Amino acid sequence: MRHLLLLFVLVFSSGQLMAEEISTRDFAAGYYLEIDKNAAVYALELPEDVYHTVKSADLRDVEVFNGAGELVPHEFRILTTDLSTLREEEPVPFFPLFQEKASKDTAGVSLQVSRDAAGAIININSDQAANQDDQQVTGYLLDLSHLKQTLAELEFYWQKDVDSSVFTVNIEQSDDLVRWTPLVNRATLADLQFGGQMVERRNVQLPRQPRKYLKLSWQESRWPLRLTKIVGFSQVIEARRDKRWVSLFNGVVLDKNKQIQVDFTSNYRLPTSSAKIRFPETNSIARLSIQSRPDVDATWRTRCEQVFYDLSFEGASIKNEPCDFPITADSLWRVVVKQDGAGLLSGNRAITLQLGWQPSELLFIGRGTPPYLLAFGSGKRAQQDKNPTSGMLLQTIKNESSTKVISQAKLGRKISLGGELALQSPAKPPPWKKWLLWSVLILGVGLLAFMARSLIKEMKAAEEKKVFEER
C-alpha cells in the first residue's frame, strides 16, 4: 500500500513539473502601464484592440507582468451597473401653461406662481385672459423641488386625440422660475400606428442633473400635447446608456422556408449588451429576432426580439431604442425577419447590425517593481485552465473602500511580443497525467490481485498442513 501511495504522489508532482511557465513571449502584443504613485491595486479600462486580439472570450489570455517578468494577480469587472435594483420611479408634479390663442409669442408667456412655505408649487396662472375658451396649452411647468431622488430620465403620457401624433419638445430649467437655461433641445415624443405596428416614444433622457423646475414646450403642431402623467426615473435603462458601437456589414442572407435569416461574423470578443438595426431606407419597420452563438458548433440563442423602426413623420426622425440583453462575447450573430415592413424579404436590401458594448475594467495588484506590462493574445494561454484564485481580488475590494486601495493606471507604449506566432494554438500535449493515473489504477488492481493470490496460497498451505497434522 505504501508503494501505491508513492505512485500517486509521483503522478501529481510530475504533473506540476510538466506545467510550463508562462512568459511575455507567449502573447502577441502588450502595453506598458504607467502609474503615478504606489498603490495596493491599480485599475485600467481595457482598450478595444485587446478584444480584437484575444483568443478566449473570457479573457483568460490576458495577463499582467511586473518589471521582473513575474505574473501579477488580476481580475476583471464589468463597468456597467445592474440597474434592475437601482432604477426607481417617482411621479412628477406638473402644471399647464396657457396663453391666448391669438398670440404667437410662446416665449413671452408670463407666470404667476404660488408656492407653499417649503417652496413647492401649488398653483400657476399664465396670461390673464378673461375668457378661458380663448386660451390654449402651450407648455407645462414641472416641479422637481421636492422629489426624493435625482432624475436621469422622464417618461411622458398624454391624451390620445388621433391615431398618430408626434411632438418635438424642448426642456428648459431654472432654480428661481425667472432665469431659464436650455436642458434638452428637440427631443421627440411619438405615438404612432405604422405598418400594423404600434410605435411609441415616451422617454426623454436628461443629459445632466436638472435644477428645481423644468419648463416643457413644443414646436407648432396640429394637435396640442395634453399630458396626463409624468414619471421620473433615477437611472436610465441599460440600453440607453452611452456605449461604444461597432457595425457588422455584409451579412450572408439565407432564405429558409420564406423566412429571411442574415448571418454576420464578428472578429471581436466584445462584451456586448445591446443591439440595433440600421435599415437601407427610412420609413422601414420590421419585427426581428437577434440571435448569437460563440462558434459554429454551438446552438443559436435569442438575445432579443422586438419591432425595429426608422420613421420620418412630420419632419421628425423616429428610431427605436436599442434592445438590451445580458452581456455576451459571442462572435457569430444572426438576424431573423419575423414580420417585414422594410422590403427585406425581397432579398436585395441589406441591413446593418450594430452591437453596443462597454469595456471591462482590469484590476491588478501592485506587486513587485514597475514597469508593469499588460500582455494579451495567446493561443497557449487560451487552452489552459482559468486562474484558480479568480474572485479573491474582487471580494477583497468589496470588503474595503475602493478609493483607499485603488489607483488608476494609464496605457503607455504598445509593443509587439510573440506576434502572430503566439496566437497559434499549440498542439495539445500528450495526456501524461491521465496515462499515469490509468497506470496507477492498473498497477493498483494488479497489486490487489497479487495480494489476494498470495493470501489464497497461504490459506491453502495452512489448510493442507492442518490436514497432514491431523493424520
Side-chain angles (χ1 to χ4, degrees), residues 178-447:
V178 177
R179 294 178 293 272
W180 296 89
T181 58
L183 179 63
V184 176
N185 290 319
R186 297 186 59 81
T188 301
L189 301 177
D191 189 345
L192 304 176
Q193 298 284 341
F194 191 93
Q197 300 285 348
M198 178 177 291
V199 175
E200 292 185 345
R201 173 67 66 84
R202 299 188 178 276
N203 294 74
V204 175
Q205 185 176 338
L206 304 180
R208 55 187 176 274
Q209 180 176 338
R211 297 178 181 174
K212 293 181 181 179
Y213 308 105
L214 302 181
K215 184 165 60 176
L216 175 75
S217 59
W218 55 91
Q219 297 181 358
E220 186 173 348
S221 174
R222 284 185 288 175
W223 305 280
L225 177 59
R226 304 182 188 277
L227 290 180
T228 57
K229 182 174 68 171
I230 302 177
V231 178
F233 293 92
S234 61
Q235 299 280 357
V236 297
I237 64 174
E238 184 62 33
R240 298 186 182 123
R241 279 179 167 268
D242 291 333
K243 293 186 178 181
R244 304 181 188 184
W245 292 89
V246 296
S247 297
L248 305 185
F249 306 95
N250 303 321
V252 179
V253 181
L254 305 174
D255 188 351
K256 294 189 176 181
N257 299 324
K258 294 184 178 181
Q259 185 178 66
I260 293 294
Q261 300 175 354
V262 187
D263 287 355
F264 299 88
T265 300
S266 167
N267 294 322
Y268 299 84
R269 293 290 188 178
L270 297 174
T272 304
S273 58
S274 296
K276 55 186 179 181
I277 297 293
R278 192 166 69 204
F279 291 101
E281 297 180 8
T282 56
N283 288 334
S284 297
I285 185 170
R287 176 173 290 277
L288 306 175
S289 173
I290 297 181
Q291 306 170 358
S292 72
R293 60 180 178 178
D295 53 63
V296 294
D297 295 325
T299 57
W300 291 101
R301 293 188 59 186
T302 299
R303 298 303 174 182
C304 65
E305 181 176 326
Q306 68 175 51
V307 175
F308 292 83
Y309 52 87
D310 182 356
L311 308 175
S312 179
F313 190 86
E314 295 185 351
S317 178
I318 306 169
K319 298 180 181 181
N320 61 279
E321 298 288 350
C323 66
D324 194 23
F325 44 82
I327 293 175
T328 177
D330 290 350
S331 59
L332 302 179
W333 292 83
R334 168 175 287 178
V335 177
V336 180
V337 181
K338 298 292 188 178
Q339 291 178 275
D340 182 27
L344 303 178
L345 295 180
S346 63
N348 58 1
R349 297 188 179 184
I351 60 175
T352 300
L353 175 62
Q354 297 179 302
L355 303 178
W357 67 284
Q358 284 186 298
S360 299
E361 185 180 40
L362 169 70
L363 300 172
F364 65 95
I365 295 178
R367 189 177 70 188
T369 58
Y372 295 102
L373 176 67
L374 170 65
F376 54 92
S378 171
K380 174 182 175 180
R381 182 66 184 91
Q383 289 186 348
Q384 297 178 349
D385 294 335
K386 292 184 68 174
N387 188 348
T389 63
S390 178
M392 290 174 48
L393 180 55
L394 289 178
Q395 186 60 45
T396 302
I397 291 174
K398 286 181 181 179
N399 295 335
E400 300 289 341
S401 174
S402 296
T403 57
K404 292 181 180 179
V405 297
I406 297 180
S407 178
Q408 290 296 316
K410 297 179 181 179
L411 284 179
R413 179 168 58 94
K414 184 178 180 179
I415 62 172
S416 178
L417 297 173
E420 292 293 329
L421 187 61
L423 294 175
Q424 298 179 9
S425 300
K428 292 185 177 180
W432 297 109
K433 185 180 292 187
K434 183 183 294 185
W435 292 352
L436 287 172
L437 284 173
W438 275 108
S439 299
V440 168
L441 291 174
I442 293 173
L443 288 174
V445 172
L447 180 61

Side-chain angles (χ1 to χ4, degrees), residues 81-89 149 233-235 241:
T81 306
D82 182 7
L83 300 180
S84 60
T85 58
L86 299 180
R87 183 172 163 86
E88 300 177 357
E89 65 177 81
Q149 57 188 343
F233 293 92
S234 61
Q235 299 280 357
R241 279 179 167 268

